[in-house]
């Protein structure tokens, strides 16, 4: 399982400002607003889009 923090996350047509996405394999398990720093969370500055695929979740970064 991995966690990603970004200024803006786009997933399934919805936008989440300053949030943490939890990804397990090819599934986005949860997206929560950022409240406190969490260990093992990758920060990506800017906007990302999460795209589920058969084997994983692709993270597309926008500048």
């Amino acid at each position: 399982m991995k966690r990603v923090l970004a200024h803006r996350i786009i997933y399934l047509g919805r936008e989440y400002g300053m949030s943490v996405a939890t990804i397990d394999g090819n599934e986005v398990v949860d997206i929560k607003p950022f409240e406190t720093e969490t260990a093992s969370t990758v920060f990506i500055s800017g906007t990302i889009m999460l795209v589920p695929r058969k084997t994983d979740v692709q993270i597309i970064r926008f500048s």
Side-chain angles (χ1 to χ4, degrees):
M1 201 165 353
K2 65 180 174 180
R3 283 188 287 284
V4 179
L5 165 64
H7 288 114
R8 187 169 64 134
I9 298 173
I10 301 170
Y11 177 63
L12 297 179
R14 292 191 59 196
E15 293 187 18
Y16 303 85
M18 199 61 170
S19 295
V20 178
T22 304
I23 300 167
D24 188 11
N26 66 340
E27 182 178 353
V28 176
V29 177
D30 194 24
I31 300 177
K32 293 182 184 177
F34 174 74
E35 293 177 357
T36 61
E37 290 189 29
T38 307
S40 302
T41 301
V42 175
F43 174 68
I44 301 175
S45 182
T47 300
I48 61 171
M49 179 183 285
L50 303 176
V51 181
R53 300 188 298 188
K54 287 187 180 194
T55 58
D56 63 355
V57 173
Q58 181 180 15
I59 299 172
I60 301 171
R61 182 172 183 234
F62 298 92
S63 6

